[in-house]
Amino acid sequence: DEMTKHLSKLGEARDRVQALQRELERVKGPKAQAPVRAQIDKLAREIKGHEKEIRQKWPELGDEF
């Protein structure tokens, strides 16, 4: 259902951000880090969007997701 889809996408995005943060620690130099940071920023916006959607449609979940 729709809630499962949002929760799944949210979890995937959070996992990917963690992986990219580990990658960012290994990458040296601002030029090399820029694409990784851009991916993290994009995923952060995606995460916020899913969180907002979940809060609006299923307020009974609170911040438990």
Side-chain angles (χ1 to χ4, degrees):
D1 69 340
E2 187 179 4
M3 181 171 62
T4 302
K5 180 184 105 180
H6 281 290
L7 291 172
S8 175
K9 296 274 187 187
L10 179 61
E12 290 170 11
R14 286 176 175 166
D15 291 344
R16 183 70 181 131
V17 166
Q18 288 177 348
L20 286 169
Q21 287 173 333
R22 288 190 298 272
E23 183 179 332
L24 191 61
E25 292 171 5
R26 292 190 298 268
V27 176
K28 303 295 181 205
K31 270 191 164 181
Q33 289 178 345
V36 179
R37 288 187 190 280
Q39 289 179 51
I40 291 172
D41 291 343
K42 180 182 176 203
L43 286 166
R45 289 188 301 273
E46 184 179 320
I47 288 168
K48 285 182 182 182
H50 285 297
E51 289 174 342
K52 180 179 178 182
E53 189 81 14
I54 292 167
R55 280 191 195 98
Q56 288 176 346
K57 291 185 177 181
W58 302 281
E60 66 275 8
L61 292 179
D63 289 330
E64 295 180 17
F65 52 90

